[in-house]
Amino acid sequence: MVVVQLLRRPRTGPRAHAVGVARLMAHTDPVALVGVALSISLSVTLDLTGAATGVESLLAGLMGITISLLVDSIARAERRFHLRSLLAGPHWLVRAVPEVATAATEAVDRHPGTRVAEETQRRFERFQADLAQLRQGRIIRPGTDYQDMLGATRDCVRRLEALTNVLPRLAWWSGDIGRRYWSENLAALARGVEITRIFTYAEFSDELADLVATQRRAGVRVGLLSTGAVPADLHVNLIRWDGTACWTAGMSAHGEINENRFSVNAADLAWTDETFQACLSRASFDT
């Protein structure tokens, strides 16, 4: 009776049919769909070729469909178990995941074919990309956002190592972020943190000399290194905190910081350590 009612239900056009098929495909395991199709084909073939009676061909088809649906049921159960295991994480994640999925689904369903639906997909893809970076132990922020640099300096307890590639002007150190960063350096020195900073430069200016003198007086071990003494791949800006976290700067063609990269990734820590040690062995620490 249910099947008859479904067959008699009025159709609403090819679009509704396409949506129905798409939903069926989305909620059914591909293995089950293939199994059902093969089972029906087998039943029809056995009946048409006379290899089996009508009842036998029907039973063979029903048996194949039953097995296919059983496989689909097992696959669904495994997916539900996997989802439950994924949600057995931080409490804020358990609460947020259903809300995020519901909001994204409703945005697309309520505004199909509009810029809202397209933007929902783009933002979700950016969210996935951000999570992929976090999964690797990295935080990437715009060039104006230095919260990780300041926070990690504030949390440093033993050793801070820095490599600063000096531009023709030292405006960064006299700007707002430079002053805040230097203030965190002074607080770290007061806590007993050992700070070693190497300035790589193309030309040694009076401005750089004043900066070096100021930092040395505060207790920073300052080294100087001419850019001509090291390969170009060592002309970088980096900071290491206690050997457990690091920061590197993404630079524009004009020498401006356009990306802040904080990381606890083992490969990034190893690379920054090798880079710093290569410059350390060539730098001059004469006062």
Side-chain angles (χ1 to χ4, degrees):
M1 181 63 67
V2 174
V3 175
V4 173
Q5 291 176 350
L6 290 174
L7 292 175
R8 290 177 178 175
R9 183 173 297 173
R11 302 179 183 275
T12 56
R15 178 178 176 81
H17 177 71
V19 171
V21 173
R23 288 182 175 176
L24 175 64
M25 296 291 290
H27 291 84
T28 306
D29 192 274
V31 175
L33 291 175
V34 173
V36 170
L38 290 177
S39 299
I40 295 174
S41 300
L42 174 63
S43 178
V44 172
T45 301
L46 290 175
D47 188 50
L48 293 178
T49 60
T53 65
V55 174
E56 291 172 340
S57 61
L58 176 61
L59 290 175
L62 290 175
M63 183 178 297
I65 292 174
T66 301
I67 295 174
S68 299
L69 294 178
L70 179 60
V71 171
D72 178 59
S73 177
I74 294 173
R76 287 170 179 267
E78 291 180 350
R79 286 196 294 268
R80 287 195 295 268
F81 178 79
H82 180 60
L83 181 59
R84 284 196 298 269
S85 65
L86 289 176
L87 291 178
H91 63 89
W92 52 264
L93 180 63
V94 176
R95 291 199 308 266
V97 168
E99 295 178 4
V100 170
T102 300
T105 302
E106 290 183 355
V108 174
D109 288 346
R110 292 178 180 178
H111 314 285
T114 68
R115 293 181 61 85
V116 172
E118 295 174 359
E119 184 63 20
T120 300
Q121 180 178 352
R122 280 194 292 267
R123 293 194 182 189
F124 197 80
E125 289 172 350
R126 287 199 298 269
F127 175 65
Q128 288 180 298
D130 289 340
L131 287 181
Q133 289 289 352
L134 293 172
R135 188 178 185 179
Q136 296 298 321
R138 301 185 180 104
I139 301 176
I140 310 298
R141 299 190 191 274
T144 56
D145 191 342
Y146 289 89
Q147 61 178 285
D148 298 310
M149 174 196 288
L150 298 174
T153 304
R154 192 177 304 120
D155 296 336
C156 187
V157 295
R158 296 188 307 276
R159 185 176 74 255
L160 187 155
E161 300 164 328
L163 181 60
T164 302
N165 186 27
V166 176
L167 300 176
R169 292 187 58 81
L170 295 167
W172 187 89
W173 286 94
S174 59
D176 177 65
I177 182 61
R179 292 194 301 270
R180 292 170 60 191
Y181 176 57
W182 177 237
S183 177
E184 294 295 346
N185 275 238
L186 293 175
L189 289 168
R191 295 194 304 270
V193 175
E194 296 179 0
I195 300 180
T196 302
R197 176 168 292 111
I198 300 173
F199 289 100
T200 58
Y201 62 93
E203 297 180 2
F204 192 80
S205 63
D206 293 338
E207 192 177 9
L208 177 56
D210 292 340
L211 178 61
V212 169
T214 298
Q215 296 205 7
R216 281 176 173 170
R217 284 195 302 269
V220 178
R221 184 185 178 216
V222 178
L224 294 171
L225 180 63
S226 172
T227 54
V230 292
D233 60 346
L234 298 181
H235 301 172
V236 297
N237 292 283
L238 65 83
I239 308 171
R240 288 171 51 82
W241 297 275
D242 296 326
T244 59
C246 64
W247 169 89
T248 55
M251 307 298 292
S252 70
H254 302 290
E256 300 172 340
I257 297 177
N258 58 14
E259 197 171 65
N260 287 286
R261 305 165 182 163
F262 175 84
S263 176
V264 294
N265 181 280
D268 296 337
L269 291 173
W271 178 81
T272 54
D273 183 50
E274 292 173 2
T275 302
F276 182 79
Q277 294 300 327
C279 292
L280 184 67
S281 63
R282 296 174 172 87
S284 171
F285 289 86
D286 296 337
T287 58

XYZ file of all heavy atoms in Angstrom, residues 186-269:
634
model
N 61.839 43.267 27.716
C 62.331 43.762 29.002
C 61.728 42.968 30.165
O 62.424 42.636 31.138
C 62.009 45.244 29.150
C 62.735 46.192 28.189
C 62.232 47.617 28.350
C 64.249 46.122 28.411
N 60.429 42.645 30.065
C 59.791 41.844 31.107
C 60.383 40.445 31.167
O 60.578 39.879 32.248
C 58.290 41.778 30.850
N 60.714 39.892 30.011
C 61.329 38.559 29.986
C 62.718 38.590 30.602
O 63.100 37.679 31.354
C 61.389 38.054 28.540
N 63.490 39.628 30.295
C 64.817 39.760 30.898
C 64.706 39.843 32.422
O 65.512 39.249 33.151
C 65.519 41.001 30.347
C 65.982 40.928 28.889
C 66.377 42.322 28.397
C 67.166 39.959 28.746
N 63.695 40.563 32.897
C 63.508 40.690 34.344
C 63.163 39.344 34.980
O 63.470 39.108 36.163
C 62.406 41.708 34.629
N 62.555 38.430 34.202
C 62.224 37.108 34.725
C 63.406 36.155 34.674
O 63.320 35.026 35.126
C 61.074 36.481 33.912
C 59.758 37.203 34.017
C 58.627 36.326 33.461
N 58.870 35.884 32.081
C 58.486 36.569 31.004
N 57.872 37.744 31.152
N 58.715 36.092 29.797
N 64.510 36.595 34.081
C 65.677 35.736 33.968
C 65.807 35.030 32.636
O 66.652 34.131 32.485
N 65.002 35.405 31.639
C 65.087 34.804 30.310
C 66.349 35.292 29.604
O 66.658 36.491 29.621
C 63.846 35.154 29.465
C 63.988 34.623 28.039
C 62.591 34.594 30.122
N 67.091 34.377 28.993
C 68.286 34.735 28.218
C 67.864 35.042 26.787
O 67.273 34.200 26.110
C 69.293 33.586 28.237
C 69.843 33.253 29.614
C 70.829 32.095 29.570
O 71.066 31.569 28.459
O 71.339 31.707 30.630
N 68.166 36.245 26.324
C 67.780 36.667 24.978
C 69.028 36.859 24.119
O 69.940 37.592 24.497
C 66.967 37.980 25.012
C 65.688 37.791 25.839
C 66.624 38.435 23.595
C 64.820 39.042 25.928
N 69.033 36.186 22.992
C 70.100 36.353 21.999
C 69.462 36.823 20.705
O 68.561 36.162 20.167
C 70.842 35.029 21.747
O 71.394 34.547 22.979
C 71.963 35.223 20.735
N 69.906 37.966 20.212
C 69.325 38.519 18.977
C 70.449 38.854 18.008
O 71.430 39.498 18.374
C 68.482 39.764 19.286
C 67.929 40.455 18.028
C 66.862 41.490 18.361
N 65.651 40.834 18.872
C 65.235 40.926 20.115
N 65.914 41.638 21.017
N 64.129 40.309 20.483
N 70.278 38.413 16.776
C 71.256 38.697 15.721
C 70.605 39.610 14.692
O 69.541 39.301 14.159
C 71.724 37.394 15.043
C 72.384 36.466 16.066
C 72.687 37.702 13.895
C 72.711 35.101 15.507
N 71.246 40.747 14.441
C 70.790 41.659 13.404
C 71.614 41.410 12.140
O 72.842 41.521 12.163
C 70.963 43.118 13.836
C 70.017 43.568 14.910
C 70.416 43.635 16.235
C 68.708 43.932 14.587
C 69.549 44.061 17.226
C 67.834 44.357 15.570
C 68.252 44.415 16.890
N 70.949 41.061 11.051
C 71.638 40.977 9.766
C 71.341 42.267 9.008
O 70.193 42.725 8.963
C 71.147 39.767 8.957
O 69.731 39.851 8.757
C 71.458 38.463 9.680
N 72.349 42.845 8.410
C 72.195 44.174 7.815
C 73.010 44.275 6.532
O 74.013 43.582 6.339
C 72.681 45.241 8.808
C 74.147 45.111 9.153
C 75.121 45.819 8.437
C 74.573 44.251 10.171
C 76.467 45.678 8.736
C 75.912 44.113 10.472
C 76.859 44.825 9.754
O 78.196 44.670 10.044
N 72.562 45.174 5.653
C 73.311 45.470 4.430
C 74.277 46.618 4.674
O 75.412 46.617 4.188
C 72.350 45.810 3.295
N 73.830 47.629 5.436
C 74.675 48.768 5.791
C 74.499 49.067 7.270
O 73.370 49.144 7.757
C 74.312 50.008 4.962
C 74.534 49.840 3.465
C 74.164 51.098 2.704
O 73.782 52.103 3.361
O 74.250 51.084 1.464
N 75.598 49.249 7.970
C 75.542 49.532 9.403
C 75.366 51.040 9.591
O 76.254 51.826 9.289
C 76.820 49.058 10.094
C 76.711 49.068 11.592
C 76.073 48.040 12.256
C 77.234 50.118 12.333
C 75.964 48.040 13.631
C 77.135 50.140 13.713
C 76.490 49.092 14.371
N 74.203 51.436 10.087
C 73.873 52.854 10.214
C 73.950 53.300 11.668
O 74.024 52.475 12.594
C 72.456 53.093 9.685
O 71.509 52.375 10.468
N 73.907 54.589 11.876
C 73.888 55.128 13.237
C 72.615 54.696 13.965
O 72.634 54.437 15.176
C 73.965 56.660 13.201
C 75.312 57.155 12.689
O 76.286 56.374 12.763
O 75.371 58.303 12.226
N 71.514 54.621 13.232
C 70.248 54.196 13.832
C 70.353 52.763 14.364
O 69.885 52.451 15.465
C 69.132 54.297 12.793
C 67.733 54.156 13.370
C 66.679 54.351 12.293
O 67.023 54.430 11.092
O 65.489 54.417 12.661
N 70.979 51.884 13.571
C 71.170 50.505 14.008
C 72.128 50.448 15.199
O 71.912 49.673 16.137
C 71.706 49.652 12.858
C 72.034 48.193 13.181
C 70.817 47.482 13.759
C 72.536 47.458 11.931
N 73.169 51.268 15.171
C 74.116 51.292 16.289
C 73.431 51.683 17.594
O 73.681 51.093 18.654
C 75.257 52.262 15.983
N 72.518 52.662 17.528
C 71.782 53.081 18.726
C 70.878 51.957 19.226
O 70.770 51.721 20.440
C 70.946 54.323 18.423
C 71.803 55.556 18.170
O 72.972 55.541 18.596
O 71.303 56.513 17.545
N 70.229 51.256 18.299
C 69.343 50.159 18.684
C 70.138 49.033 19.342
O 69.718 48.483 20.368
C 68.593 49.629 17.453
C 67.650 48.450 17.675
C 66.541 48.825 18.660
C 67.058 47.975 16.351
N 71.269 48.695 18.763
C 72.113 47.640 19.324
C 72.584 48.027 20.723
O 72.554 47.221 21.664
C 73.313 47.368 18.400
C 74.339 46.471 19.097
C 72.842 46.729 17.098
N 73.012 49.281 20.879
C 73.501 49.734 22.179
C 72.396 49.685 23.233
O 72.621 49.264 24.378
C 74.046 51.159 22.058
N 71.185 50.093 22.839
C 70.058 50.071 23.772
C 69.754 48.647 24.239
O 69.556 48.399 25.443
C 68.806 50.672 23.110
O 69.059 52.032 22.768
C 67.603 50.586 24.041
N 69.747 47.722 23.318
C 69.415 46.347 23.683
C 70.542 45.696 24.485
O 70.269 44.922 25.421
C 69.092 45.526 22.427
C 67.854 46.038 21.695
C 67.165 44.969 20.865
O 67.518 43.790 20.902
N 66.169 45.388 20.101
N 71.765 46.010 24.172
C 72.874 45.442 24.952
C 72.859 45.973 26.382
O 73.118 45.216 27.326
C 74.199 45.764 24.266
C 74.493 44.847 23.079
C 75.762 45.238 22.360
N 76.107 44.248 21.337
C 77.056 44.418 20.411
N 77.748 45.572 20.373
N 77.305 43.470 19.530
N 72.560 47.243 26.543
C 72.479 47.806 27.896
C 71.378 47.136 28.719
O 71.483 46.983 29.935
C 72.229 49.317 27.830
C 73.454 50.138 27.466
C 73.226 51.615 27.768
N 72.076 52.155 27.059
C 72.140 52.726 25.854
N 73.321 52.833 25.239
N 71.054 53.204 25.278
N 70.301 46.715 28.037
C 69.191 46.076 28.746
C 69.495 44.636 29.124
O 68.787 44.049 29.948
C 67.934 46.122 27.881
N 70.551 44.075 28.537
C 70.917 42.701 28.878
C 70.768 41.700 27.757
O 70.973 40.498 27.970
N 70.408 42.161 26.563
C 70.283 41.267 25.418
C 71.667 40.981 24.838
O 72.485 41.898 24.707
C 69.383 41.880 24.325
C 69.292 40.961 23.111
C 67.999 42.171 24.874
N 71.925 39.729 24.530
C 73.162 39.368 23.838
C 72.929 39.621 22.351
O 72.200 38.893 21.686
C 73.517 37.902 24.073
C 74.848 37.488 23.462
C 75.080 36.002 23.637
N 76.340 35.579 23.024
C 76.542 34.432 22.413
N 75.541 33.537 22.336
N 77.706 34.128 21.894
N 73.552 40.670 21.812
C 73.284 41.111 20.452
C 74.465 40.775 19.554
O 75.618 41.100 19.866
C 73.008 42.629 20.392
C 72.770 43.068 18.949
C 71.793 42.974 21.248
N 74.162 40.136 18.433
C 75.162 39.838 17.426
C 74.881 40.601 16.142
O 73.731 40.955 15.856
N 75.930 40.871 15.372
C 75.788 41.579 14.098
C 76.322 40.702 12.979
O 77.345 40.030 13.132
C 76.553 42.897 14.143
C 76.011 43.945 15.127
C 76.976 45.112 15.245
C 74.636 44.425 14.685
N 75.609 40.734 11.871
C 75.978 39.871 10.752
C 75.652 40.576 9.445
O 74.501 40.954 9.198
C 75.232 38.538 10.840
C 75.490 37.515 9.742
C 76.953 37.073 9.749
C 74.583 36.308 9.926
N 76.653 40.768 8.611
C 76.435 41.383 7.306
C 75.723 40.397 6.385
O 76.030 39.201 6.358
C 77.776 41.782 6.682
O 77.591 42.207 5.342
N 74.730 40.902 5.653
C 73.977 40.023 4.757
C 74.867 39.421 3.674
O 74.574 38.354 3.146
C 72.827 40.795 4.092
O 73.360 41.981 3.447
C 71.788 41.204 5.102
N 75.974 40.104 3.368
C 76.872 39.563 2.361
C 77.668 38.364 2.839
O 78.285 37.657 2.025
N 77.630 38.096 4.147
C 78.401 36.986 4.695
C 77.624 35.685 4.754
O 78.175 34.644 5.126
C 78.896 37.344 6.105
N 76.360 35.741 4.426
C 75.524 34.541 4.500
C 74.692 34.416 3.229
O 74.419 35.412 2.552
C 74.589 34.586 5.729
C 75.383 34.483 7.015
C 73.744 35.853 5.723
N 74.264 33.205 2.875
C 73.413 33.016 1.698
C 72.083 33.743 1.847
O 71.629 34.033 2.957
C 73.207 31.491 1.642
C 74.305 30.904 2.471
C 74.615 31.918 3.525
N 71.442 33.994 0.731
C 70.180 34.741 0.737
C 69.080 34.021 1.502
O 68.177 34.667 2.056
C 69.726 35.001 -0.701
N 69.122 32.682 1.579
C 68.069 31.961 2.279
C 68.139 32.130 3.790
O 67.236 31.704 4.518
C 68.076 30.473 1.921
C 69.403 29.801 2.277
O 70.385 30.516 2.538
O 69.442 28.567 2.295
N 69.226 32.793 4.275
C 69.342 33.081 5.694
C 68.936 34.515 6.033
O 69.016 34.926 7.186
C 70.773 32.828 6.188
C 71.270 31.387 6.070
C 72.695 31.275 6.613
C 70.348 30.427 6.807
N 68.495 35.262 5.035
C 68.030 36.631 5.259
C 66.557 36.586 5.678
O 65.650 36.943 4.918
C 68.191 37.475 3.989
C 69.602 37.555 3.512
N 69.936 38.127 2.289
C 70.775 37.147 4.064
C 71.254 38.053 2.123
N 71.775 37.457 3.186
N 66.314 36.136 6.891
C 64.942 35.931 7.351
C 64.733 36.587 8.712
O 65.697 36.978 9.387
C 64.611 34.429 7.456
C 64.678 33.766 6.092
C 65.555 33.737 8.435
N 63.483 36.690 9.100
C 63.110 37.152 10.427
C 62.484 35.979 11.171
O 61.492 35.397 10.698
C 62.093 38.296 10.338
C 62.704 39.555 9.747
O 63.434 40.274 10.412
N 62.405 39.805 8.476
N 63.056 35.641 12.310
C 62.507 34.524 13.074
C 62.733 34.731 14.563
O 63.627 35.480 14.980
C 63.116 33.194 12.615
C 64.617 32.934 12.824
C 64.923 32.431 14.235
C 65.124 31.926 11.811
N 61.926 34.056 15.353
C 62.058 34.042 16.809
C 61.819 32.612 17.279
O 60.957 31.907 16.732
C 61.044 34.978 17.500
C 61.095 36.383 16.910
C 61.288 35.031 19.009
C 59.976 37.290 17.408
N 62.580 32.192 18.290
C 62.382 30.884 18.921
C 62.224 31.089 20.429
O 62.967 31.865 21.031
C 63.580 29.963 18.646
C 63.648 29.467 17.209
C 64.961 28.735 16.946
N 65.225 27.710 17.949
C 64.703 26.474 17.928
N 63.897 26.126 16.944
N 64.992 25.595 18.875
N 61.249 30.399 21.005
C 61.005 30.503 22.448
C 61.212 29.143 23.109
O 60.472 28.185 22.809
C 59.576 30.969 22.716
C 59.244 32.337 22.190
C 59.476 33.535 22.803
C 58.596 32.659 20.950
N 59.019 34.575 22.035
C 58.477 34.063 20.886
C 58.105 31.884 19.891
C 57.885 34.712 19.811
C 57.532 32.519 18.824
C 57.423 33.924 18.780
N 62.200 29.044 23.973
C 62.454 27.843 24.769
C 62.615 26.586 23.924
O 62.472 25.463 24.424
C 61.328 27.617 25.783
C 61.255 28.743 26.812
O 62.313 29.286 27.179
O 60.136 29.080 27.245
N 62.856 26.746 22.638
C 63.009 25.594 21.755
C 61.726 24.839 21.486
O 61.745 23.769 20.873
N 60.586 25.389 21.923
C 59.310 24.680 21.770
C 58.334 25.377 20.834
O 57.315 24.798 20.463
C 58.633 24.516 23.146
O 58.402 25.814 23.720
C 59.504 23.695 24.088
N 58.602 26.618 20.464
C 57.715 27.362 19.573
C 58.568 28.337 18.764
O 59.654 28.744 19.194
C 56.637 28.116 20.357
N 58.072 28.693 17.592
C 58.837 29.617 16.746
C 57.892 30.508 15.957
O 56.693 30.238 15.826
C 59.764 28.846 15.804
S 58.906 27.797 14.596
N 58.464 31.592 15.442
C 57.737 32.556 14.612
C 58.608 32.919 13.434
O 59.826 33.108 13.562
C 57.413 33.807 15.427
C 56.908 34.983 14.623
C 55.617 35.266 14.310
C 57.687 36.033 14.038
N 55.534 36.426 13.572
C 56.798 36.905 13.387
C 59.063 36.298 13.997
C 57.240 38.047 12.700
C 59.503 37.419 13.315
C 58.589 38.285 12.676
N 57.999 33.008 12.273
C 58.697 33.499 11.088
C 57.788 34.510 10.395
O 56.563 34.466 10.538
C 59.048 32.371 10.105
O 57.847 31.643 9.771
C 60.072 31.420 10.709
N 58.403 35.391 9.642
C 57.649 36.449 8.972
C 57.575 36.181 7.484
O 58.576 35.837 6.845
C 58.305 37.802 9.223
N 56.377 36.347 6.930
C 56.221 36.359 5.485
C 56.434 37.783 5.002
O 55.828 38.708 5.532
N 57.294 37.959 4.004
C 57.676 39.300 3.571
C 57.137 39.604 2.180
O 57.091 38.737 1.305
C 59.201 39.425 3.574
C 59.877 39.034 4.880
S 59.393 40.058 6.291
C 60.146 41.615 5.823
N 56.735 40.854 1.995
C 56.301 41.309 0.676
C 57.513 41.678 -0.175
O 58.652 41.675 0.302
C 55.384 42.525 0.818
O 56.138 43.657 1.255
N 57.263 42.027 -1.431
C 58.348 42.426 -2.317
C 59.008 43.717 -1.862
O 60.158 44.007 -2.231
C 57.822 42.581 -3.742
N 58.315 44.504 -1.036
C 58.857 45.772 -0.541
C 59.502 45.617 0.834
O 59.857 46.607 1.470
C 57.739 46.817 -0.463
C 57.060 47.070 -1.778
N 57.676 47.722 -2.833
C 55.824 46.725 -2.225
C 56.849 47.789 -3.853
N 55.722 47.185 -3.515
N 59.648 44.374 1.296
C 60.297 44.142 2.575
C 59.406 44.373 3.771
O 59.901 44.555 4.887
N 58.090 44.361 3.575
C 57.160 44.551 4.677
C 56.611 43.201 5.123
O 56.407 42.298 4.311
C 56.005 45.457 4.239
C 56.450 46.849 3.799
C 55.308 47.636 3.189
O 54.317 46.982 2.760
O 55.397 48.866 3.121
N 56.367 43.071 6.429
C 55.799 41.829 6.952
C 54.326 41.764 6.578
O 53.529 42.599 6.989
C 55.971 41.754 8.484
C 57.454 41.715 8.852
C 55.247 40.524 9.043
C 57.724 41.713 10.346
N 53.952 40.764 5.780
C 52.550 40.619 5.378
C 51.909 39.353 5.933
O 50.738 39.077 5.667
C 52.425 40.632 3.845
C 53.249 39.537 3.186
O 53.723 38.609 3.834
N 53.427 39.644 1.879
N 52.697 38.582 6.715
C 52.151 37.356 7.288
C 52.942 36.981 8.533
O 54.173 37.006 8.525
C 52.212 36.221 6.259
C 51.322 35.047 6.572
C 51.266 34.053 5.418
O 52.314 33.453 5.105
O 50.188 33.886 4.815
N 52.236 36.655 9.607
C 52.860 36.194 10.840
C 52.606 34.702 10.988
O 51.447 34.269 11.024
C 52.280 36.937 12.051
C 52.767 38.364 12.131
O 53.904 38.637 12.482
N 51.891 39.313 11.777
N 53.678 33.925 11.101
C 53.555 32.468 11.133
C 54.105 31.936 12.456
O 55.310 31.910 12.670
C 54.336 31.844 9.971
C 53.957 32.388 8.604
C 54.989 32.024 7.570
N 54.676 32.577 6.250
C 55.560 32.678 5.267
N 56.816 32.270 5.440
N 55.207 33.189 4.107
N 53.201 31.533 13.315
C 53.574 30.930 14.594
C 53.453 29.420 14.457
O 52.517 28.919 13.823
C 52.643 31.433 15.697
C 52.870 30.769 17.030
C 53.853 31.234 17.894
C 52.114 29.677 17.412
C 54.071 30.627 19.118
C 52.317 29.061 18.636
C 53.297 29.531 19.485
N 54.397 28.684 15.053
C 54.377 27.235 14.863
C 54.982 26.496 16.046
O 55.920 26.982 16.695
C 55.153 26.864 13.585
O 55.226 25.460 13.421
N 54.431 25.322 16.304
C 55.033 24.368 17.234
C 55.331 23.068 16.487
O 55.591 22.039 17.094
C 54.106 24.100 18.442
C 53.952 25.348 19.290
C 52.735 23.577 17.986
N 55.271 23.126 15.163
C 55.547 21.973 14.314
C 57.022 21.585 14.417
O 57.908 22.435 14.356
C 55.179 22.315 12.869
C 55.413 21.171 11.914
O 56.536 20.927 11.496
N 54.348 20.473 11.570
N 57.292 20.293 14.566
C 58.664 19.820 14.763
C 59.568 20.195 13.591
O 60.734 20.570 13.789
C 58.666 18.306 14.976
N 59.070 20.078 12.369
C 59.886 20.417 11.198
C 60.209 21.911 11.177
O 61.338 22.309 10.841
C 59.148 20.017 9.921
N 59.250 22.762 11.530
C 59.492 24.201 11.573
C 60.498 24.556 12.664
O 61.367 25.409 12.472
C 58.184 24.954 11.821
C 57.191 24.769 10.686
O 57.624 24.448 9.570
O 55.980 24.952 10.930
N 60.386 23.895 13.815
C 61.333 24.142 14.902
C 62.743 23.749 14.490
O 63.713 24.454 14.792
C 60.907 23.367 16.152
C 59.629 23.839 16.845
C 59.235 22.870 17.955
C 59.808 25.242 17.414
